[in-house]
Amino acid sequence: TIQLVERVRQEREWQLDASVPTNSEAGAELRRAPLVGREAELTQLVDIWNSTVDNGAAAVVVIEGDEGYGKTRLAEELLARARLDGATVSAVRCVEGDLERSRSGILGLARGGMLEGPGVATAAQGALLAFAQEIAEWADKFGRLQGEQQPLENAFAEVARALAAERPVVLLVDDAHWCDRESLLSLGSALRDLESLPLLVCITSSAAAPRIELDDLRSRIGRDLRGTTVNLNRLDSAALTQLARWAVPQYEEDQLDRLSRRIRVDSAGLPILAVELLHAVALGLDLDETSGVWPEPLRTLTQSMPGDLPDTIVAAIRVGFRRLSSDGQQVLAAAAVLGDRVAPTRIGRGSGLEGKVLESALDELEWQRWLTADPRGYSFLARIVQDVIATDMVTEGQKLRIREAAGKGI
Protein backbone atom coordinates (compact mmCIF):
# COMPACT_ATOMS: atom_id res chain seq x y z
CA THR A 1 0.00 0.00 0.00
CA ILE A 2 2.85 2.38 0.85
CA GLN A 3 4.46 1.66 -2.53
CA LEU A 4 1.16 2.29 -4.34
CA VAL A 5 0.67 5.60 -2.52
CA GLU A 6 4.14 6.69 -3.59
CA ARG A 7 3.49 5.69 -7.20
CA VAL A 8 0.22 7.66 -7.20
CA ARG A 9 2.00 10.68 -5.76
CA GLN A 10 4.76 10.53 -8.39
CA GLU A 11 2.22 10.09 -11.19
CA ARG A 12 0.06 13.04 -10.13
CA GLU A 13 2.74 15.56 -9.24
CA TRP A 14 5.17 17.27 -11.58
CA GLN A 15 8.48 17.93 -9.88
CA LEU A 16 8.68 21.52 -11.10
CA ASP A 17 11.17 24.01 -9.73
CA ALA A 18 9.57 27.09 -8.16
CA SER A 19 11.13 29.22 -10.92
CA VAL A 20 9.12 27.49 -13.67
CA PRO A 21 6.26 29.77 -14.79
CA THR A 22 3.07 27.67 -14.96
CA ASN A 23 0.74 30.69 -15.27
CA SER A 24 -2.13 28.67 -13.84
CA GLU A 25 -4.06 31.83 -12.99
CA ALA A 26 -3.86 32.92 -16.63
CA GLY A 27 -5.20 29.60 -17.87
CA ALA A 28 -1.98 28.51 -19.58
CA GLU A 29 -2.18 25.04 -18.09
CA LEU A 30 -5.43 24.49 -19.98
CA ARG A 31 -3.22 23.01 -22.70
CA ARG A 32 -2.86 20.02 -20.34
CA ALA A 33 -6.28 18.72 -21.33
CA PRO A 34 -7.98 15.61 -19.95
CA LEU A 35 -8.47 12.60 -22.17
CA VAL A 36 -11.98 12.75 -23.67
CA GLY A 37 -13.75 10.81 -26.39
CA ARG A 38 -11.37 7.85 -26.10
CA GLU A 39 -13.08 5.79 -23.39
CA ALA A 40 -13.73 2.74 -25.57
CA GLU A 41 -10.20 2.73 -26.98
CA LEU A 42 -8.64 3.11 -23.53
CA THR A 43 -10.73 0.23 -22.23
CA GLN A 44 -9.38 -1.99 -25.03
CA LEU A 45 -5.80 -1.10 -24.19
CA VAL A 46 -6.22 -1.51 -20.44
CA ASP A 47 -7.87 -4.92 -20.94
CA ILE A 48 -4.84 -6.12 -22.91
CA TRP A 49 -2.51 -4.73 -20.25
CA ASN A 50 -4.41 -6.42 -17.43
CA SER A 51 -4.38 -9.69 -19.35
CA THR A 52 -0.62 -9.37 -19.90
CA VAL A 53 -0.06 -8.97 -16.16
CA ASP A 54 -2.56 -11.62 -15.05
CA ASN A 55 -1.46 -14.28 -17.55
CA GLY A 56 2.25 -13.44 -17.71
CA ALA A 57 2.10 -13.40 -21.51
CA ALA A 58 3.55 -10.90 -23.99
CA ALA A 59 1.27 -8.73 -26.13
CA VAL A 60 1.34 -5.79 -28.53
CA VAL A 61 -1.07 -2.88 -28.94
CA VAL A 62 -1.03 -0.62 -31.98
CA ILE A 63 -2.59 2.86 -31.81
CA GLU A 64 -3.13 4.17 -35.31
CA GLY A 65 -4.27 7.57 -36.52
CA ASP A 66 -3.14 10.65 -38.39
CA GLU A 67 -1.12 13.41 -36.76
CA GLY A 68 -3.10 15.39 -34.21
CA TYR A 69 -5.55 12.57 -33.42
CA GLY A 70 -4.17 12.03 -29.91
CA LYS A 71 -2.14 8.83 -30.32
CA THR A 72 0.57 9.98 -27.92
CA ARG A 73 -1.96 11.25 -25.38
CA LEU A 74 -3.77 7.89 -25.35
CA ALA A 75 -0.48 5.99 -25.03
CA GLU A 76 0.54 8.24 -22.13
CA GLU A 77 -2.67 7.34 -20.32
CA LEU A 78 -1.92 3.64 -20.73
CA LEU A 79 1.65 4.10 -19.49
CA ALA A 80 0.45 6.09 -16.47
CA ARG A 81 -1.80 3.20 -15.45
CA ALA A 82 1.00 0.70 -15.98
CA ARG A 83 3.32 2.73 -13.75
CA LEU A 84 0.64 2.78 -11.05
CA ASP A 85 0.62 -1.02 -11.31
CA GLY A 86 4.36 -1.01 -10.61
CA ALA A 87 5.51 -1.77 -14.16
CA THR A 88 8.89 -0.91 -15.62
CA VAL A 89 8.17 1.58 -18.40
CA SER A 90 10.47 2.69 -21.20
CA ALA A 91 9.55 4.97 -24.11
CA VAL A 92 11.11 6.36 -27.26
CA ARG A 93 9.66 8.88 -29.69
CA CYS A 94 10.89 8.54 -33.25
CA VAL A 95 11.41 11.33 -35.77
CA GLU A 96 11.91 11.20 -39.53
CA GLY A 97 15.71 11.14 -39.27
CA ASP A 98 15.56 7.87 -37.29
CA LEU A 99 14.65 5.95 -40.45
CA GLU A 100 18.30 6.10 -41.53
CA ARG A 101 19.79 5.50 -38.06
CA SER A 102 20.12 1.75 -37.70
CA ARG A 103 19.02 0.43 -34.28
CA SER A 104 18.20 3.94 -33.05
CA GLY A 105 14.84 2.68 -31.80
CA ILE A 106 16.19 0.02 -29.45
CA LEU A 107 18.97 2.35 -28.32
CA GLY A 108 16.31 4.95 -27.56
CA LEU A 109 14.37 2.44 -25.47
CA ALA A 110 17.56 1.54 -23.65
CA ARG A 111 17.94 5.22 -22.76
CA GLY A 112 14.24 5.73 -22.10
CA GLY A 113 13.83 3.74 -18.88
CA MET A 114 15.23 0.22 -19.28
CA LEU A 115 18.43 1.06 -17.40
CA GLU A 116 16.44 2.09 -14.31
CA GLY A 117 14.31 -1.05 -14.23
CA PRO A 118 14.75 -3.53 -11.37
CA GLY A 119 16.42 -6.68 -12.62
CA VAL A 120 18.50 -5.07 -15.36
CA ALA A 121 21.74 -6.13 -13.66
CA THR A 122 20.70 -9.79 -13.88
CA ALA A 123 20.90 -9.74 -17.68
CA ALA A 124 23.76 -11.57 -19.36
CA GLN A 125 27.03 -9.64 -19.22
CA GLY A 126 27.37 -9.72 -22.99
CA ALA A 127 24.03 -7.92 -23.33
CA LEU A 128 24.96 -5.25 -20.80
CA LEU A 129 28.30 -4.73 -22.52
CA ALA A 130 26.57 -4.27 -25.88
CA PHE A 131 24.63 -1.27 -24.56
CA ALA A 132 27.61 -0.01 -22.57
CA GLN A 133 29.51 0.28 -25.85
CA GLU A 134 26.81 2.56 -27.28
CA ILE A 135 25.37 4.57 -24.36
CA ALA A 136 27.34 6.55 -21.80
CA GLU A 137 24.88 5.91 -18.95
CA TRP A 138 25.15 2.16 -19.47
CA ALA A 139 28.95 2.42 -19.65
CA ASP A 140 28.99 4.21 -16.29
CA LYS A 141 27.16 1.30 -14.72
CA PHE A 142 28.38 -1.75 -16.64
CA GLY A 143 31.44 -0.62 -18.59
CA ARG A 144 33.85 -2.58 -16.40
CA LEU A 145 32.24 -5.96 -17.05
CA GLN A 146 34.32 -8.55 -18.89
CA GLY A 147 33.32 -10.82 -21.71
CA GLU A 148 32.18 -10.89 -25.32
CA GLN A 149 29.39 -8.48 -26.13
CA GLN A 150 26.25 -9.67 -27.87
CA PRO A 151 24.76 -8.16 -31.04
CA LEU A 152 22.44 -5.31 -30.10
CA GLU A 153 19.32 -7.13 -31.28
CA ASN A 154 20.08 -10.11 -29.01
CA ALA A 155 21.12 -7.79 -26.17
CA PHE A 156 17.79 -5.94 -26.39
CA ALA A 157 15.78 -9.15 -26.02
CA GLU A 158 18.02 -10.36 -23.18
CA VAL A 159 17.65 -7.13 -21.19
CA ALA A 160 13.89 -7.12 -21.79
CA ARG A 161 13.81 -10.73 -20.50
CA ALA A 162 15.68 -9.77 -17.33
CA LEU A 163 13.36 -6.83 -16.70
CA ALA A 164 10.15 -8.78 -17.33
CA ALA A 165 11.32 -11.58 -15.04
CA GLU A 166 11.37 -9.05 -12.19
CA ARG A 167 8.15 -7.14 -12.89
CA PRO A 168 5.80 -6.39 -15.85
CA VAL A 169 7.31 -4.24 -18.60
CA VAL A 170 5.79 -1.75 -21.05
CA LEU A 171 7.81 -0.52 -24.04
CA LEU A 172 6.38 2.42 -26.01
CA VAL A 173 7.55 3.29 -29.52
CA ASP A 174 5.82 6.56 -30.38
CA ASP A 175 5.55 7.52 -34.07
CA ALA A 176 6.87 4.10 -35.01
CA HIS A 177 6.39 4.82 -38.72
CA TRP A 178 9.69 6.76 -38.38
CA CYS A 179 11.45 3.92 -36.54
CA ASP A 180 14.35 2.16 -38.26
CA ARG A 181 13.77 -1.27 -39.76
CA GLU A 182 16.22 -3.14 -37.52
CA SER A 183 14.54 -1.89 -34.35
CA LEU A 184 11.06 -2.82 -35.54
CA LEU A 185 12.27 -6.32 -36.40
CA SER A 186 13.92 -6.57 -32.97
CA LEU A 187 10.62 -5.70 -31.27
CA GLY A 188 8.85 -8.43 -33.24
CA SER A 189 11.54 -10.95 -32.32
CA ALA A 190 11.37 -9.99 -28.64
CA LEU A 191 7.60 -10.49 -28.60
CA ARG A 192 8.10 -13.97 -30.09
CA ASP A 193 10.97 -15.01 -27.82
CA LEU A 194 9.46 -13.59 -24.62
CA GLU A 195 5.89 -14.74 -25.20
CA SER A 196 5.64 -16.29 -21.72
CA LEU A 197 6.68 -13.10 -19.88
CA PRO A 198 4.58 -10.02 -18.92
CA LEU A 199 5.82 -7.72 -21.70
CA LEU A 200 3.57 -5.21 -23.47
CA VAL A 201 4.83 -3.38 -26.55
CA CYS A 202 2.80 -0.25 -27.35
CA ILE A 203 3.19 1.23 -30.82
CA THR A 204 1.72 4.44 -32.22
CA SER A 205 1.82 5.00 -35.95
CA SER A 206 0.28 7.00 -38.77
CA ALA A 207 -1.67 5.34 -41.54
CA ALA A 208 -0.36 8.06 -43.85
CA ALA A 209 3.16 6.59 -43.61
CA PRO A 210 2.81 2.82 -44.16
CA ARG A 211 5.63 0.48 -43.16
CA ILE A 212 5.97 -3.16 -44.17
CA GLU A 213 7.43 -4.08 -40.77
CA LEU A 214 4.44 -2.59 -38.95
CA ASP A 215 2.00 -4.23 -41.33
CA ASP A 216 3.64 -7.59 -40.66
CA LEU A 217 3.43 -7.02 -36.90
CA ARG A 218 -0.25 -6.10 -37.08
CA SER A 219 -0.99 -9.14 -39.23
CA ARG A 220 0.37 -11.40 -36.48
CA ILE A 221 -2.11 -10.11 -33.89
CA GLY A 222 -4.65 -12.84 -33.25
CA ARG A 223 -2.45 -15.51 -34.80
CA ASP A 224 0.86 -15.87 -32.97
CA LEU A 225 0.66 -12.57 -31.06
CA ARG A 226 -1.77 -11.43 -28.41
CA GLY A 227 -2.95 -7.84 -28.68
CA THR A 228 -5.18 -5.37 -30.45
CA THR A 229 -5.16 -2.49 -32.92
CA VAL A 230 -6.95 0.75 -32.06
CA ASN A 231 -7.85 3.17 -34.85
CA LEU A 232 -8.48 6.74 -33.71
CA ASN A 233 -11.04 8.99 -35.35
CA ARG A 234 -11.79 12.69 -34.98
CA LEU A 235 -13.60 13.81 -31.86
CA ASP A 236 -17.39 13.90 -32.15
CA SER A 237 -19.72 16.67 -30.94
CA ALA A 238 -20.26 15.09 -27.52
CA ALA A 239 -16.51 14.85 -26.86
CA LEU A 240 -15.90 18.43 -28.01
CA THR A 241 -18.70 19.66 -25.75
CA GLN A 242 -17.16 17.76 -22.84
CA LEU A 243 -13.79 19.34 -23.62
CA ALA A 244 -15.35 22.80 -23.86
CA ARG A 245 -17.13 22.34 -20.54
CA TRP A 246 -13.79 21.58 -18.92
CA ALA A 247 -12.00 24.50 -20.59
CA VAL A 248 -14.62 27.20 -19.89
CA PRO A 249 -16.70 25.93 -16.96
CA GLN A 250 -18.36 29.34 -16.57
CA TYR A 251 -20.23 28.94 -19.88
CA GLU A 252 -23.95 28.11 -19.93
CA GLU A 253 -25.16 25.10 -21.91
CA ASP A 254 -26.29 27.14 -24.91
CA GLN A 255 -22.91 28.89 -25.00
CA LEU A 256 -21.11 25.54 -24.79
CA ASP A 257 -23.21 24.20 -27.65
CA ARG A 258 -22.35 27.14 -29.91
CA LEU A 259 -18.68 27.00 -28.92
CA SER A 260 -18.32 23.27 -29.51
CA ARG A 261 -19.97 23.55 -32.95
CA ARG A 262 -17.55 26.32 -33.90
CA ILE A 263 -14.59 24.35 -32.56
CA ARG A 264 -15.66 21.33 -34.58
CA VAL A 265 -15.71 23.37 -37.80
CA ASP A 266 -12.39 25.13 -37.19
CA SER A 267 -10.48 22.12 -35.78
CA ALA A 268 -12.13 19.43 -37.93
CA GLY A 269 -12.41 17.41 -34.73
CA LEU A 270 -8.64 17.01 -34.33
CA PRO A 271 -7.93 16.88 -30.59
CA ILE A 272 -4.68 18.86 -30.69
CA LEU A 273 -6.26 21.74 -32.59
CA ALA A 274 -9.40 21.67 -30.46
CA VAL A 275 -7.28 22.04 -27.32
CA GLU A 276 -5.32 24.93 -28.86
CA LEU A 277 -8.56 26.75 -29.71
CA LEU A 278 -10.20 26.18 -26.33
CA HIS A 279 -7.03 27.24 -24.55
CA ALA A 280 -7.03 30.49 -26.54
CA VAL A 281 -10.75 31.06 -25.95
CA ALA A 282 -10.18 30.67 -22.21
CA LEU A 283 -7.47 33.34 -22.52
CA GLY A 284 -9.79 35.74 -24.34
CA LEU A 285 -9.66 34.89 -28.08
CA ASP A 286 -12.90 36.00 -29.78
CA LEU A 287 -13.70 33.43 -32.45
CA ASP A 288 -16.20 35.82 -34.06
CA GLU A 289 -13.28 38.05 -35.08
CA THR A 290 -11.51 35.27 -36.94
CA SER A 291 -12.48 33.33 -40.03
CA GLY A 292 -11.65 30.29 -42.10
CA VAL A 293 -12.60 26.63 -42.23
CA TRP A 294 -10.61 23.45 -42.57
CA PRO A 295 -9.22 23.51 -46.13
CA GLU A 296 -10.25 20.06 -47.35
CA PRO A 297 -12.45 17.42 -45.68
CA LEU A 298 -9.89 14.65 -46.13
CA ARG A 299 -6.68 16.63 -45.70
CA THR A 300 -4.49 15.61 -42.78
CA LEU A 301 -2.19 17.68 -40.60
CA THR A 302 0.80 15.97 -42.19
CA GLN A 303 -0.28 17.26 -45.60
CA SER A 304 -1.09 20.78 -44.37
CA MET A 305 1.12 23.84 -44.26
CA PRO A 306 0.66 26.76 -41.87
CA GLY A 307 -0.91 28.82 -44.65
CA ASP A 308 -3.59 26.15 -45.08
CA LEU A 309 -4.88 26.46 -41.53
CA PRO A 310 -7.94 28.51 -40.59
CA ASP A 311 -7.18 31.92 -39.09
CA THR A 312 -8.62 30.71 -35.79
CA ILE A 313 -5.99 27.97 -35.44
CA VAL A 314 -3.06 30.27 -36.21
CA ALA A 315 -4.49 32.92 -33.88
CA ALA A 316 -4.87 30.34 -31.11
CA ILE A 317 -1.24 29.24 -31.44
CA ARG A 318 -0.18 32.91 -31.37
CA VAL A 319 -2.16 33.49 -28.18
CA GLY A 320 -0.56 30.51 -26.47
CA PHE A 321 2.92 31.52 -27.64
CA ARG A 322 2.54 35.09 -26.34
CA ARG A 323 1.40 33.84 -22.93
CA LEU A 324 4.70 32.07 -22.41
CA SER A 325 7.47 33.71 -20.43
CA SER A 326 10.01 35.63 -22.53
CA ASP A 327 12.55 32.85 -21.92
CA GLY A 328 9.98 30.26 -22.94
CA GLN A 329 9.31 32.14 -26.18
CA GLN A 330 13.03 32.30 -26.98
CA VAL A 331 13.52 28.60 -26.37
CA LEU A 332 10.40 27.58 -28.29
CA ALA A 333 11.42 29.69 -31.27
CA ALA A 334 14.88 28.10 -31.26
CA ALA A 335 13.41 24.59 -31.04
CA ALA A 336 11.03 25.34 -33.93
CA VAL A 337 13.88 26.50 -36.17
CA LEU A 338 16.46 23.82 -35.31
CA GLY A 339 14.64 20.66 -36.40
CA ASP A 340 12.69 17.56 -35.43
CA ARG A 341 14.54 16.62 -32.25
CA VAL A 342 17.11 18.91 -30.69
CA ALA A 343 19.50 18.38 -27.80
CA PRO A 344 19.12 20.91 -24.98
CA THR A 345 22.69 22.12 -25.50
CA ARG A 346 21.87 23.20 -29.08
CA ILE A 347 18.61 24.80 -27.98
CA GLY A 348 20.58 26.71 -25.37
CA ARG A 349 23.09 27.99 -27.90
CA GLY A 350 20.35 28.90 -30.36
CA SER A 351 18.28 30.75 -27.76
CA GLY A 352 21.21 32.35 -25.97
CA LEU A 353 20.16 30.85 -22.63
CA GLU A 354 21.98 28.45 -20.36
CA GLY A 355 22.00 26.86 -16.91
CA LYS A 356 18.96 27.16 -14.68
CA VAL A 357 17.33 29.73 -16.95
CA LEU A 358 17.37 27.29 -19.87
CA GLU A 359 16.21 24.39 -17.71
CA SER A 360 13.33 26.44 -16.34
CA ALA A 361 12.20 27.44 -19.85
CA LEU A 362 12.36 23.84 -21.11
CA ASP A 363 10.36 22.65 -18.09
CA GLU A 364 7.77 25.34 -18.76
CA LEU A 365 7.38 24.22 -22.38
CA GLU A 366 7.16 20.55 -21.46
CA TRP A 367 4.69 21.27 -18.66
CA GLN A 368 2.43 23.21 -21.02
CA ARG A 369 2.71 20.48 -23.68
CA TRP A 370 4.48 22.43 -26.39
CA LEU A 371 7.49 20.10 -26.32
CA THR A 372 8.07 16.51 -25.36
CA ALA A 373 11.40 15.16 -24.19
CA ASP A 374 13.32 11.92 -24.33
CA PRO A 375 16.98 11.27 -23.48
CA ARG A 376 17.99 12.26 -27.01
CA GLY A 377 16.41 15.73 -26.99
CA TYR A 378 13.24 17.78 -27.36
CA SER A 379 10.65 17.75 -30.13
CA PHE A 380 7.24 19.33 -30.72
CA LEU A 381 4.15 17.32 -29.89
CA ALA A 382 2.75 18.29 -33.29
CA ARG A 383 4.77 19.13 -36.39
CA ILE A 384 2.15 21.62 -37.62
CA VAL A 385 2.54 23.69 -34.42
CA GLN A 386 6.30 23.73 -34.96
CA ASP A 387 5.75 24.92 -38.52
CA VAL A 388 3.39 27.71 -37.42
CA ILE A 389 5.88 28.96 -34.81
CA ALA A 390 8.78 28.84 -37.28
CA THR A 391 6.77 30.53 -40.05
CA ASP A 392 4.61 32.98 -38.15
CA MET A 393 6.54 33.91 -35.00
CA VAL A 394 10.18 34.01 -36.18
CA THR A 395 11.64 36.33 -38.80
CA GLU A 396 14.09 35.14 -41.44
CA GLY A 397 16.86 37.10 -39.73
CA GLN A 398 16.09 35.45 -36.40
CA LYS A 399 16.19 32.02 -38.06
CA LEU A 400 19.61 32.76 -39.50
CA ARG A 401 20.97 33.95 -36.16
CA ILE A 402 19.51 30.94 -34.30
CA ARG A 403 21.11 28.48 -36.73
CA GLU A 404 24.47 30.23 -36.63
CA ALA A 405 24.48 30.38 -32.83
CA ALA A 406 23.40 26.74 -32.46
CA GLY A 407 26.02 25.44 -34.86
CA LYS A 408 26.25 21.72 -35.58
CA GLY A 409 26.49 18.64 -33.43
CA ILE A 410 24.82 18.04 -30.10
Side-chain angles (χ1 to χ4, degrees):
T1 303
I2 293 172
Q3 291 174 349
L4 177 59
V5 168
E6 183 58 29
R7 290 198 295 268
V8 171
R9 181 179 294 114
Q10 291 175 356
E11 196 63 38
R12 292 178 62 87
E13 291 184 3
W14 265 64
Q15 304 301 315
L16 289 174
D17 187 87
S19 64
V20 177
T22 58
N23 294 329
S24 57
E25 305 85 5
E29 64 181 0
L30 285 174
R31 299 183 85 254
R32 299 188 63 78
L35 186 69
V36 300
R38 303 298 189 217
E39 293 81 7
E41 293 87 349
L42 181 59
T43 297
Q44 274 185 267
L45 300 178
V46 172
D47 285 346
I48 294 294
W49 165 243
N50 289 336
S51 176
T52 297
V53 175
D54 294 341
N55 299 323
V60 59
V61 293
V62 179
I63 305 172
E64 190 171 84
D66 288 322
E67 183 179 352
Y69 276 50
K71 302 184 298 295
T72 302
R73 180 68 182 84
L74 182 58
E76 287 175 348
E77 192 73 19
L78 175 63
L79 264 61
R81 293 169 185 246
R83 282 192 292 265
L84 288 176
D85 288 338
T88 294
V89 173
S90 184
V92 62
R93 189 175 197 223
C94 303
V95 298
E96 189 170 357
D98 289 332
L99 277 172
E100 306 303 323
R101 299 185 183 118
S102 179
R103 300 168 182 81
S104 59
I106 57 177
L107 288 173
L109 285 170
R111 292 186 179 98
M114 295 180 76
L115 180 60
E116 292 77 28
V120 65
T122 66
Q125 290 192 6
L128 300 176
L129 281 170
F131 285 116
Q133 289 293 317
E134 301 286 342
I135 305 171
E137 296 86 349
W138 286 72
D140 291 341
K141 195 168 184 178
F142 302 117
R144 295 182 180 180
L145 295 177
Q146 301 295 319
E148 182 179 352
Q149 69 183 61
Q150 297 181 4
L152 271 177
E153 292 85 349
N154 297 347
F156 174 73
E158 170 59 26
V159 171
R161 182 193 305 277
L163 293 172
E166 182 72 23
R167 62 172 60 174
V169 173
V170 181
L171 303 177
L172 167 64
V173 182
D174 198 11
D175 284 346
H177 49 279
W178 298 128
C179 188
D180 65 283
R181 179 176 183 272
E182 293 80 8
S183 293
L184 291 177
L185 293 177
S186 295
L187 284 169
S189 299
L191 285 165
R192 178 198 63 213
D193 297 341
L194 309 181
E195 61 179 354
S196 59
L197 288 172
L199 168 68
L200 180 67
V201 174
C202 179
I203 289 171
T204 75
S205 68
S206 171
R211 292 288 303 279
I212 294 175
E213 298 84 6
L214 291 175
D215 290 341
D216 288 344
L217 194 60
R218 280 193 293 265
S219 70
R220 293 170 55 192
I221 296 175
R223 295 190 293 116
D224 61 330
L225 277 182
R226 297 172 57 258
T228 189
T229 298
V230 169
N231 293 291
L232 299 186
N233 297 309
R234 303 175 187 226
L235 294 179
D236 59 20
S237 298
L240 289 172
T241 300
Q242 184 182 352
L243 203 56
R245 184 176 291 111
W246 165 81
V248 282
Q250 70 274 21
Y251 275 28
E252 302 292 338
E253 287 301 314
D254 59 333
Q255 293 175 296
L256 286 173
D257 182 61
R258 288 195 300 272
L259 176 60
S260 61
R261 281 189 278 114
R262 177 64 188 271
I263 295 295
R264 185 174 189 180
V265 170
D266 289 354
S267 71
L270 272 65
I272 193 164
L273 298 185
V275 170
E276 290 288 351
L277 284 169
L278 288 168
H279 165 61
V281 168
L283 293 175
L285 177 67
D286 187 350
L287 294 182
D288 292 333
E289 295 182 357
T290 57
S291 62
V293 295
W294 193 249
E296 296 177 19
L298 299 180
R299 169 161 259 173
T300 68
L301 272 186
T302 305
Q303 298 169 312
S304 301
M305 299 295 289
D308 299 328
L309 296 177
D311 292 344
T312 48
I313 300 294
V314 177
I317 295 173
R318 284 192 194 122
V319 168
F321 181 82
R322 292 304 182 198
R323 299 298 292 209
L324 292 167
S325 68
S326 59
D327 292 337
Q329 291 181 36
Q330 283 180 248
V331 168
L332 193 63
V337 170
L338 291 176
D340 288 333
R341 181 175 55 228
V342 194
T345 50
R346 286 198 74 213
I347 295 177
R349 293 198 299 268
S351 64
L353 302 177
E354 59 183 10
K356 288 291 186 182
V357 176
L358 174 62
E359 292 173 7
S360 177
L362 288 170
D363 286 346
E364 176 189 3
L365 297 172
E366 192 178 1
W367 161 253
Q368 294 186 21
R369 297 188 68 80
W370 291 94
L371 300 179
T372 183
D374 71 19
R376 298 177 294 171
Y378 288 84
S379 56
F380 276 75
L381 280 166
R383 179 65 179 269
I384 192 66
V385 175
Q386 176 183 358
D387 291 343
V388 169
I389 298 296
T391 301
D392 208 58
M393 309 303 294
V394 187
T395 67
E396 291 301 317
Q398 287 174 315
K399 293 177 188 177
L400 178 63
R401 292 192 295 272
I402 288 170
R403 293 190 182 106
E404 286 182 345
K408 297 181 179 180
I410 61 171

